PDB file of all heavy atoms in Angstrom:
ATOM      1  N   VAL Q 117     -87.297  22.262 -22.651  1.00  0.00           N
ATOM      2  CA  VAL Q 117     -87.424  21.230 -21.629  1.00  0.00           C
ATOM      3  C   VAL Q 117     -86.991  19.875 -22.184  1.00  0.00           C
ATOM      4  O   VAL Q 117     -86.396  19.053 -21.475  1.00  0.00           O
ATOM      5  CB  VAL Q 117     -88.875  21.171 -21.115  1.00  0.00           C
ATOM      6  CG1 VAL Q 117     -89.052  20.013 -20.140  1.00  0.00           C
ATOM      7  CG2 VAL Q 117     -89.271  22.482 -20.460  1.00  0.00           C
ATOM      8  N   GLU Q 118     -87.278  19.633 -23.465  1.00  0.00           N
ATOM      9  CA  GLU Q 118     -86.927  18.356 -24.073  1.00  0.00           C
ATOM     10  C   GLU Q 118     -85.421  18.117 -24.085  1.00  0.00           C
ATOM     11  O   GLU Q 118     -84.961  16.976 -24.118  1.00  0.00           O
ATOM     12  CB  GLU Q 118     -87.473  18.296 -25.508  1.00  0.00           C
ATOM     13  CG  GLU Q 118     -88.994  18.175 -25.609  1.00  0.00           C
ATOM     14  CD  GLU Q 118     -89.693  19.504 -25.308  1.00  0.00           C
ATOM     15  OE1 GLU Q 118     -89.019  20.563 -25.373  1.00  0.00           O
ATOM     16  OE2 GLU Q 118     -90.903  19.479 -25.000  1.00  0.00           O
ATOM     17  N   GLN Q 119     -84.630  19.186 -24.079  1.00  0.00           N
ATOM     18  CA  GLN Q 119     -83.174  19.041 -24.108  1.00  0.00           C
ATOM     19  C   GLN Q 119     -82.562  18.837 -22.731  1.00  0.00           C
ATOM     20  O   GLN Q 119     -81.361  18.560 -22.620  1.00  0.00           O
ATOM     21  CB  GLN Q 119     -82.544  20.284 -24.767  1.00  0.00           C
ATOM     22  CG  GLN Q 119     -82.878  20.430 -26.243  1.00  0.00           C
ATOM     23  CD  GLN Q 119     -82.265  21.693 -26.822  1.00  0.00           C
ATOM     24  OE1 GLN Q 119     -82.035  22.670 -26.120  1.00  0.00           O
ATOM     25  NE2 GLN Q 119     -82.006  21.663 -28.123  1.00  0.00           N
ATOM     26  N   MET Q 120     -83.359  18.967 -21.677  1.00  0.00           N
ATOM     27  CA  MET Q 120     -82.836  18.801 -20.333  1.00  0.00           C
ATOM     28  C   MET Q 120     -82.402  17.351 -20.098  1.00  0.00           C
ATOM     29  O   MET Q 120     -83.109  16.422 -20.478  1.00  0.00           O
ATOM     30  CB  MET Q 120     -83.904  19.169 -19.283  1.00  0.00           C
ATOM     31  CG  MET Q 120     -84.147  20.653 -19.144  1.00  0.00           C
ATOM     32  SD  MET Q 120     -82.762  21.482 -18.325  1.00  0.00           S
ATOM     33  CE  MET Q 120     -83.359  23.185 -18.381  1.00  0.00           C
ATOM     34  N   PRO Q 121     -81.236  17.140 -19.492  1.00  0.00           N
ATOM     35  CA  PRO Q 121     -80.799  15.763 -19.209  1.00  0.00           C
ATOM     36  C   PRO Q 121     -81.664  15.116 -18.138  1.00  0.00           C
ATOM     37  O   PRO Q 121     -82.141  15.787 -17.225  1.00  0.00           O
ATOM     38  CB  PRO Q 121     -79.360  15.949 -18.720  1.00  0.00           C
ATOM     39  CG  PRO Q 121     -79.332  17.337 -18.153  1.00  0.00           C
ATOM     40  CD  PRO Q 121     -80.264  18.141 -19.026  1.00  0.00           C
ATOM     41  N   GLN Q 122     -81.849  13.798 -18.272  1.00  0.00           N
ATOM     42  CA  GLN Q 122     -82.612  13.064 -17.274  1.00  0.00           C
ATOM     43  C   GLN Q 122     -81.750  12.720 -16.058  1.00  0.00           C
ATOM     44  O   GLN Q 122     -82.217  12.728 -14.932  1.00  0.00           O
ATOM     45  CB  GLN Q 122     -83.166  11.771 -17.891  1.00  0.00           C
ATOM     46  CG  GLN Q 122     -84.168  12.010 -19.003  1.00  0.00           C
ATOM     47  CD  GLN Q 122     -85.389  12.773 -18.523  1.00  0.00           C
ATOM     48  OE1 GLN Q 122     -85.999  12.415 -17.517  1.00  0.00           O
ATOM     49  NE2 GLN Q 122     -85.754  13.828 -19.241  1.00  0.00           N
ATOM     50  N   ASP Q 123     -80.486  12.421 -16.309  1.00  0.00           N
ATOM     51  CA  ASP Q 123     -79.575  12.019 -15.232  1.00  0.00           C
ATOM     52  C   ASP Q 123     -78.282  12.809 -15.304  1.00  0.00           C
ATOM     53  O   ASP Q 123     -77.784  13.124 -16.393  1.00  0.00           O
ATOM     54  CB  ASP Q 123     -79.227  10.527 -15.326  1.00  0.00           C
ATOM     55  CG  ASP Q 123     -80.432   9.631 -15.092  1.00  0.00           C
ATOM     56  OD1 ASP Q 123     -81.284  10.010 -14.270  1.00  0.00           O
ATOM     57  OD2 ASP Q 123     -80.505   8.568 -15.725  1.00  0.00           O
ATOM     58  N   ILE Q 124     -77.748  13.132 -14.135  1.00  0.00           N
ATOM     59  CA  ILE Q 124     -76.411  13.703 -14.012  1.00  0.00           C
ATOM     60  C   ILE Q 124     -75.660  12.844 -13.002  1.00  0.00           C
ATOM     61  O   ILE Q 124     -76.143  12.621 -11.894  1.00  0.00           O
ATOM     62  CB  ILE Q 124     -76.455  15.170 -13.539  1.00  0.00           C
ATOM     63  CG1 ILE Q 124     -77.136  16.051 -14.594  1.00  0.00           C
ATOM     64  CG2 ILE Q 124     -75.056  15.684 -13.242  1.00  0.00           C
ATOM     65  CD1 ILE Q 124     -77.316  17.493 -14.167  1.00  0.00           C
ATOM     66  N   ILE Q 125     -74.507  12.347 -13.404  1.00  0.00           N
ATOM     67  CA  ILE Q 125     -73.713  11.497 -12.520  1.00  0.00           C
ATOM     68  C   ILE Q 125     -72.490  12.278 -12.057  1.00  0.00           C
ATOM     69  O   ILE Q 125     -71.710  12.769 -12.873  1.00  0.00           O
ATOM     70  CB  ILE Q 125     -73.269  10.201 -13.222  1.00  0.00           C
ATOM     71  CG1 ILE Q 125     -74.499   9.401 -13.665  1.00  0.00           C
ATOM     72  CG2 ILE Q 125     -72.407   9.351 -12.285  1.00  0.00           C
ATOM     73  CD1 ILE Q 125     -74.157   8.171 -14.473  1.00  0.00           C
ATOM     74  N   MET Q 126     -72.340  12.399 -10.736  1.00  0.00           N
ATOM     75  CA  MET Q 126     -71.167  13.044 -10.161  1.00  0.00           C
ATOM     76  C   MET Q 126     -70.256  11.949  -9.625  1.00  0.00           C
ATOM     77  O   MET Q 126     -70.700  11.078  -8.877  1.00  0.00           O
ATOM     78  CB  MET Q 126     -71.572  14.021  -9.051  1.00  0.00           C
ATOM     79  CG  MET Q 126     -70.521  15.059  -8.735  1.00  0.00           C
ATOM     80  SD  MET Q 126     -71.170  16.384  -7.681  1.00  0.00           S
ATOM     81  CE  MET Q 126     -72.417  17.086  -8.753  1.00  0.00           C
ATOM     82  N   LYS Q 127     -68.988  11.989 -10.020  1.00  0.00           N
ATOM     83  CA  LYS Q 127     -68.078  10.931  -9.607  1.00  0.00           C
ATOM     84  C   LYS Q 127     -66.677  11.481  -9.394  1.00  0.00           C
ATOM     85  O   LYS Q 127     -66.290  12.496  -9.970  1.00  0.00           O
ATOM     86  CB  LYS Q 127     -68.057   9.796 -10.639  1.00  0.00           C
ATOM     87  CG  LYS Q 127     -67.767  10.220 -12.063  1.00  0.00           C
ATOM     88  CD  LYS Q 127     -67.930   9.043 -13.004  1.00  0.00           C
ATOM     89  CE  LYS Q 127     -67.705   9.455 -14.438  1.00  0.00           C
ATOM     90  NZ  LYS Q 127     -67.858   8.295 -15.362  1.00  0.00           N
ATOM     91  N   GLY Q 128     -65.932  10.792  -8.513  1.00  0.00           N
ATOM     92  CA  GLY Q 128     -64.581  11.207  -8.207  1.00  0.00           C
ATOM     93  C   GLY Q 128     -63.823  10.094  -7.520  1.00  0.00           C
ATOM     94  O   GLY Q 128     -64.332   8.972  -7.367  1.00  0.00           O
ATOM     95  N   CYS Q 129     -62.606  10.398  -7.091  1.00  0.00           N
ATOM     96  CA  CYS Q 129     -61.706   9.396  -6.506  1.00  0.00           C
ATOM     97  C   CYS Q 129     -61.542   9.550  -5.001  1.00  0.00           C
ATOM     98  O   CYS Q 129     -60.647   8.942  -4.413  1.00  0.00           O
ATOM     99  CB  CYS Q 129     -60.341   9.464  -7.189  1.00  0.00           C
ATOM    100  SG  CYS Q 129     -60.387   9.061  -8.941  1.00  0.00           S
ATOM    101  N   THR Q 130     -62.374  10.375  -4.374  1.00  0.00           N
ATOM    102  CA  THR Q 130     -62.352  10.511  -2.912  1.00  0.00           C
ATOM    103  C   THR Q 130     -63.651   9.942  -2.367  1.00  0.00           C
ATOM    104  O   THR Q 130     -64.729  10.447  -2.676  1.00  0.00           O
ATOM    105  CB  THR Q 130     -62.195  11.979  -2.488  1.00  0.00           C
ATOM    106  OG1 THR Q 130     -61.027  12.522  -3.088  1.00  0.00           O
ATOM    107  CG2 THR Q 130     -62.091  12.090  -0.970  1.00  0.00           C
ATOM    108  N   GLY Q 131     -63.546   8.881  -1.571  1.00  0.00           N
ATOM    109  CA  GLY Q 131     -64.747   8.163  -1.168  1.00  0.00           C
ATOM    110  C   GLY Q 131     -64.994   8.073   0.315  1.00  0.00           C
ATOM    111  O   GLY Q 131     -65.784   7.249   0.756  1.00  0.00           O
ATOM    112  N   GLY Q 132     -64.346   8.944   1.110  1.00  0.00           N
ATOM    113  CA  GLY Q 132     -64.597   8.867   2.541  1.00  0.00           C
ATOM    114  C   GLY Q 132     -63.728   9.806   3.344  1.00  0.00           C
ATOM    115  O   GLY Q 132     -63.041  10.681   2.800  1.00  0.00           O
ATOM    116  N   LEU Q 133     -63.772   9.614   4.676  1.00  0.00           N
ATOM    117  CA  LEU Q 133     -63.065  10.487   5.613  1.00  0.00           C
ATOM    118  C   LEU Q 133     -62.576   9.654   6.788  1.00  0.00           C
ATOM    119  O   LEU Q 133     -63.312   8.832   7.330  1.00  0.00           O
ATOM    120  CB  LEU Q 133     -64.001  11.588   6.120  1.00  0.00           C
ATOM    121  CG  LEU Q 133     -63.387  12.685   6.995  1.00  0.00           C
ATOM    122  CD1 LEU Q 133     -62.565  13.646   6.144  1.00  0.00           C
ATOM    123  CD2 LEU Q 133     -64.479  13.450   7.737  1.00  0.00           C
ATOM    124  N   ASP Q 134     -61.322   9.883   7.191  1.00  0.00           N
ATOM    125  CA  ASP Q 134     -60.778   9.246   8.391  1.00  0.00           C
ATOM    126  C   ASP Q 134     -61.201  10.085   9.599  1.00  0.00           C
ATOM    127  O   ASP Q 134     -60.743  11.217   9.760  1.00  0.00           O
ATOM    128  CB  ASP Q 134     -59.256   9.168   8.297  1.00  0.00           C
ATOM    129  CG  ASP Q 134     -58.627   8.350   9.422  1.00  0.00           C
ATOM    130  OD1 ASP Q 134     -59.263   8.229  10.493  1.00  0.00           O
ATOM    131  OD2 ASP Q 134     -57.505   7.854   9.246  1.00  0.00           O
ATOM    132  N   LEU Q 135     -62.059   9.545  10.431  1.00  0.00           N
ATOM    133  CA  LEU Q 135     -62.600  10.299  11.568  1.00  0.00           C
ATOM    134  C   LEU Q 135     -61.559  10.535  12.656  1.00  0.00           C
ATOM    135  O   LEU Q 135     -61.774  11.360  13.543  1.00  0.00           O
ATOM    136  CB  LEU Q 135     -63.807   9.564  12.152  1.00  0.00           C
ATOM    137  CG  LEU Q 135     -64.992   9.377  11.207  1.00  0.00           C
ATOM    138  CD1 LEU Q 135     -66.101   8.588  11.892  1.00  0.00           C
ATOM    139  CD2 LEU Q 135     -65.525  10.718  10.720  1.00  0.00           C
ATOM    140  N   ARG Q 136     -60.428   9.838  12.601  1.00  0.00           N
ATOM    141  CA  ARG Q 136     -59.369  10.014  13.598  1.00  0.00           C
ATOM    142  C   ARG Q 136     -58.436  11.168  13.244  1.00  0.00           C
ATOM    143  O   ARG Q 136     -57.756  11.706  14.115  1.00  0.00           O
ATOM    144  CB  ARG Q 136     -58.557   8.723  13.730  1.00  0.00           C
ATOM    145  CG  ARG Q 136     -59.374   7.520  14.170  1.00  0.00           C
ATOM    146  CD  ARG Q 136     -58.666   6.226  13.849  1.00  0.00           C
ATOM    147  NE  ARG Q 136     -58.444   6.099  12.397  1.00  0.00           N
ATOM    148  CZ  ARG Q 136     -57.865   5.053  11.826  1.00  0.00           C
ATOM    149  NH1 ARG Q 136     -57.456   4.043  12.578  1.00  0.00           N
ATOM    150  NH2 ARG Q 136     -57.694   5.005  10.518  1.00  0.00           N
ATOM    151  N   THR Q 137     -58.388  11.527  11.955  1.00  0.00           N
ATOM    152  CA  THR Q 137     -57.480  12.585  11.495  1.00  0.00           C
ATOM    153  C   THR Q 137     -58.185  13.669  10.696  1.00  0.00           C
ATOM    154  O   THR Q 137     -57.602  14.718  10.430  1.00  0.00           O
ATOM    155  CB  THR Q 137     -56.367  11.988  10.618  1.00  0.00           C
ATOM    156  OG1 THR Q 137     -56.963  11.423   9.429  1.00  0.00           O
ATOM    157  CG2 THR Q 137     -55.598  10.906  11.364  1.00  0.00           C
ATOM    158  N   LEU Q 138     -59.418  13.386  10.241  1.00  0.00           N
ATOM    159  CA  LEU Q 138     -60.199  14.254   9.350  1.00  0.00           C
ATOM    160  C   LEU Q 138     -59.545  14.383   7.975  1.00  0.00           C
ATOM    161  O   LEU Q 138     -59.765  15.367   7.259  1.00  0.00           O
ATOM    162  CB  LEU Q 138     -60.438  15.639   9.962  1.00  0.00           C
ATOM    163  CG  LEU Q 138     -61.142  15.653  11.332  1.00  0.00           C
ATOM    164  CD1 LEU Q 138     -61.436  17.078  11.766  1.00  0.00           C
ATOM    165  CD2 LEU Q 138     -62.419  14.835  11.288  1.00  0.00           C
ATOM    166  N   ALA Q 139     -58.755  13.391   7.605  1.00  0.00           N
ATOM    167  CA  ALA Q 139     -58.127  13.365   6.281  1.00  0.00           C
ATOM    168  C   ALA Q 139     -59.046  12.638   5.302  1.00  0.00           C
ATOM    169  O   ALA Q 139     -59.642  11.607   5.643  1.00  0.00           O
ATOM    170  CB  ALA Q 139     -56.779  12.659   6.351  1.00  0.00           C
ATOM    171  N   PRO Q 140     -59.175  13.147   4.064  1.00  0.00           N
ATOM    172  CA  PRO Q 140     -59.984  12.445   3.052  1.00  0.00           C
ATOM    173  C   PRO Q 140     -59.338  11.125   2.668  1.00  0.00           C
ATOM    174  O   PRO Q 140     -58.115  10.968   2.725  1.00  0.00           O
ATOM    175  CB  PRO Q 140     -60.017  13.429   1.874  1.00  0.00           C
ATOM    176  CG  PRO Q 140     -58.847  14.331   2.075  1.00  0.00           C
ATOM    177  CD  PRO Q 140     -58.616  14.410   3.549  1.00  0.00           C
ATOM    178  N   LEU Q 141     -60.173  10.167   2.254  1.00  0.00           N
ATOM    179  CA  LEU Q 141     -59.712   8.828   1.913  1.00  0.00           C
ATOM    180  C   LEU Q 141     -59.996   8.524   0.445  1.00  0.00           C
ATOM    181  O   LEU Q 141     -61.064   8.876  -0.073  1.00  0.00           O
ATOM    182  CB  LEU Q 141     -60.421   7.778   2.780  1.00  0.00           C
ATOM    183  CG  LEU Q 141     -60.187   7.873   4.288  1.00  0.00           C
ATOM    184  CD1 LEU Q 141     -61.115   6.910   5.013  1.00  0.00           C
ATOM    185  CD2 LEU Q 141     -58.734   7.578   4.629  1.00  0.00           C
ATOM    186  N   ARG Q 142     -59.034   7.874  -0.200  1.00  0.00           N
ATOM    187  CA  ARG Q 142     -59.213   7.501  -1.597  1.00  0.00           C
ATOM    188  C   ARG Q 142     -60.252   6.389  -1.707  1.00  0.00           C
ATOM    189  O   ARG Q 142     -60.255   5.435  -0.922  1.00  0.00           O
ATOM    190  CB  ARG Q 142     -57.888   7.064  -2.206  1.00  0.00           C
ATOM    191  CG  ARG Q 142     -57.942   6.883  -3.733  1.00  0.00           C
ATOM    192  CD  ARG Q 142     -56.570   6.864  -4.333  1.00  0.00           C
ATOM    193  NE  ARG Q 142     -55.862   8.118  -4.112  1.00  0.00           N
ATOM    194  CZ  ARG Q 142     -56.025   9.210  -4.840  1.00  0.00           C
ATOM    195  NH1 ARG Q 142     -56.916   9.214  -5.831  1.00  0.00           N
ATOM    196  NH2 ARG Q 142     -55.332  10.300  -4.573  1.00  0.00           N
ATOM    197  N   GLY Q 143     -61.131   6.511  -2.673  1.00  0.00           N
ATOM    198  CA  GLY Q 143     -62.178   5.523  -2.897  1.00  0.00           C
ATOM    199  C   GLY Q 143     -63.118   6.017  -3.979  1.00  0.00           C
ATOM    200  O   GLY Q 143     -62.997   7.142  -4.470  1.00  0.00           O
TER     201      GLY Q 143
END
Side-chain angles (χ1 to χ4, degrees):
V117 175
E118 289 76 18
Q119 293 178 333
M120 286 288 178
Q122 296 299 310
D123 294 325
I124 295 176
I125 300 175
M126 200 168 297
K127 53 186 177 180
C129 297
T130 304
L133 186 75
D134 188 336
L135 298 178
R136 300 161 299 181
T137 64
L138 303 185
L141 298 171
R142 190 163 298 279

